Amino acid sequence: GQRLVDSLLSDPVFAQHYAAKMQQRGGVPVVQVAHVENLSTQRHGSLAMLRDSLEEALRASGRFVLSGDPDACDYILKGRYRCVQDGRRVTHRVTVRLHDNAVDSDAWTGSDEIAKE
């Protein structure tokens, strides 16, 4: 979660988008972290922990206010999890996108993966 949020905050294109949103809003943007969709055949309780980690990292950044009401949000962060097995190697991949509700488009996308044998 933290690596994904760090990637978001260091993206220069998103920085411009964020500055415009701050000016338009007159304050810190509001975000909701939606559930992480499991697109694998495996059940993963750790996806709820990933969601919590994303929320914690966004809150700690001081650059967003979190809300549970999607209608009150400037952004919705959505995620997808995939697990691909290639022989003994398993790759776990999380892809997230930050959707801007006002313009109905994605302001940022990012991914992180871990490969294990």
Side-chain angles (χ1 to χ4, degrees), residues 2 7-8 48 53 56 63 69 73 79 84 93 95 100 108:
Q2 184 66 54
S7 178
L8 165 70
S53 175
E56 191 176 296
R63 298 186 59 193
D69 179 6
C73 292
V84 178
R93 182 177 182 91
T95 305
D100 184 327
W108 177 83

Side-chain angles (χ1 to χ4, degrees), residues 49-87:
M49 289 190 321
L50 172 61
R51 182 179 181 271
D52 291 345
S53 175
L54 288 166
E55 285 182 343
E56 191 176 296
L58 288 167
R59 186 178 296 110
S61 75
R63 298 186 59 193
F64 298 94
V65 171
L66 273 72
S67 174
D69 179 6
D71 294 331
C73 292
D74 299 296
Y75 299 112
I76 306 287
L77 185 69
K78 300 177 182 181
R80 290 183 169 170
Y81 165 78
R82 287 183 170 86
C83 178
V84 178
Q85 186 158 2
D86 183 19

Side-chain angles (χ1 to χ4, degrees), residues 3-4 36 38-44 46-47 50 80-86 88-95 111-117:
R3 287 193 309 247
L4 288 166
V36 178
N38 186 354
L39 300 178
S40 76
T41 57
Q42 300 176 8
R43 292 191 59 181
H44 275 282
S46 59
L47 293 181
L50 172 61
R80 290 183 169 170
Y81 165 78
R82 287 183 170 86
C83 178
V84 178
Q85 186 158 2
D86 183 19
R88 294 178 57 189
R89 182 182 170 120
V90 178
T91 302
H92 304 273
R93 182 177 182 91
V94 175
T95 305
S111 64
D112 195 9
E113 69 179 42
I114 300 171
K116 296 182 178 181
E117 278 194 37

